[in-house]
Amino acid sequence: MNTELLEALNILEKEKNISKATLLEAIQQSLLQAYKNQYDRSDNVTVVIDPETCEYQILAAKTVVEHVEDPVVEISQSEAFKLDSGAQIGDTVQVEIKSKDFGRIATTNAKNVILQKIREEERNALYNQYIEKEHEIVTGVVQRYVGNNVSINLGKADALLAAKEMVKGESFRPTERVKVYVLEVRDTPKGPKIMVSRTHPELVKRLFEEEVAEIRDGIIEIKSIAREPGSRTKIAVWSNDEDVDAVGACVGVNGSRVSAIVDELDGEKIDIINWDENDAILIENALSPAKVISVLADPDEKTALVIVPDYQLSLAIGKEGQNARLAAHLTQYKIDIKSESQAVEEGLFEEYEDIEDEEFDEDEAFEEDEISVEEETSEEAEESEEDETAEE
């Protein structure tokens, strides 16, 4: 048994996550390459390796001849008898080649083939490990700043947190643990290149999935999310179980669940609202915490007119328009917010009342139709009574 080789393969398989079969294949290829370098051919040789013991043989097929002209592919009958007593002229026998007979250059090349294969397999194993984490959250350790970017160690590979993917004003200390969202994993000759983000909206979504069991179980869905990194996020949630309060579950007891996420995001504010299939109600919810008088939504044009009390106008719009902007992003509607006074001045309430009047007129018309039917019935009855009197 080749104990040293077997032990080395087991260590590589454990530490580098490379299968023993792959390593044995690399050794096989390296021995074939070494033979080719030594004898300038490899079509007559095979390498046999026992995966259990790691014992190997290099066997060259040689033809039995009377006079040897090419010792690489031919063997004399007398030499062939030593291997096979029944060997005849023209037969083929397998001759074992000792690897120690290879020259220094051939041996060096074989070693390089093995090392190259190990590096390739190690790179592939790392890539396969991290490609599964693409679009997921991972926890890493801050290594150092590379210019304005940050290098983060994820265990067996380093990720790059680009400056544009960092929250404005956020800074990190070496050895600090941080959660990041994996944007992309690329396979490169130097190993996997992993790009991560702290600004992507999906980071917040994944944090809620980690923190809220009902979301992981599919009871609650995050229908939409709008984020301005480092400042504020709005998420719309929906419960598939009428007995489960979607917003309450995400907030947690005494706000414990959402607080954990806010802490991870360095104090970023989070508004959690109820999703509604009625766009007008959804828009009203999205403008929370502002109170809304009315919402006129046009689903075809994706526009909405929202009227709020005068004292709620600044709250509905938000600082520098943030609340309205996030609500628009969350609902995918272009939202026009007006105060009650503005609506009155522009006659918007009159238009709204006209719509209500039209509905009311339709009801009145229906009632008039009923009255006319009753009157006709009464007239017909009177005419019938007059006819009966005349007959008498």
Side-chain angles (χ1 to χ4, degrees), residues 228-391:
E228 292 193 357
S231 180
R232 195 178 207 95
T233 291
K234 284 181 181 284
I235 67 168
V237 294
W238 170 266
S239 176
N240 292 312
D241 185 341
E242 59 183 16
D243 294 328
V244 177
D245 176 17
V247 174
C250 291
V251 171
V253 179
N254 297 324
S256 57
R257 288 175 169 178
V258 73
S259 293
I261 297 170
V262 168
D263 290 342
E264 178 61 38
L265 298 176
D266 254 352
E268 182 175 317
K269 295 179 176 64
I270 299 177
D271 296 338
I272 307 171
I273 69 161
N274 281 309
W275 171 270
D276 201 290
E277 293 181 356
N278 185 313
D279 290 347
I281 297 175
L282 176 61
I283 292 168
E284 180 180 350
N285 293 344
L287 287 169
S288 174
K291 304 299 181 185
V292 173
I293 294 175
S294 67
V295 178
L296 296 176
D298 185 342
D300 296 326
E301 297 294 328
K302 283 292 181 180
T303 59
L305 172 63
V306 178
I307 300 174
V308 299
D310 291 2
Y311 69 95
Q312 292 279 297
L313 181 61
S314 60
L315 184 61
I317 295 174
K319 185 179 180 181
E320 298 179 351
Q322 185 186 67
N323 195 55
R325 192 165 54 248
L326 286 172
H329 189 190
L330 189 76
T331 61
Q332 299 298 304
Y333 265 77
K334 183 178 179 181
I335 301 175
D336 184 15
I337 303 175
K338 293 186 181 294
S339 68
E340 189 173 5
S341 298
Q342 290 173 326
V344 170
E345 289 175 6
E346 296 177 18
L348 297 176
F349 276 127
E350 293 177 5
E351 294 177 9
Y352 183 71
E353 288 170 357
D354 288 342
I355 294 173
E356 287 187 329
D357 289 342
E358 287 176 7
E359 293 175 354
F360 181 74
D361 290 343
E362 288 177 1
D363 293 339
E364 279 191 339
F366 179 72
E367 290 175 0
E368 288 175 359
D369 289 341
E370 286 183 336
I371 292 170
S372 62
V373 169
E374 290 175 359
E375 288 176 349
E376 287 176 3
T377 306
S378 177
E379 289 174 0
E380 288 175 359
E382 289 176 0
E383 289 176 0
S384 176
E385 287 177 2
E386 288 175 0
D387 291 342
E388 289 177 359
T389 304
E391 287 176 2

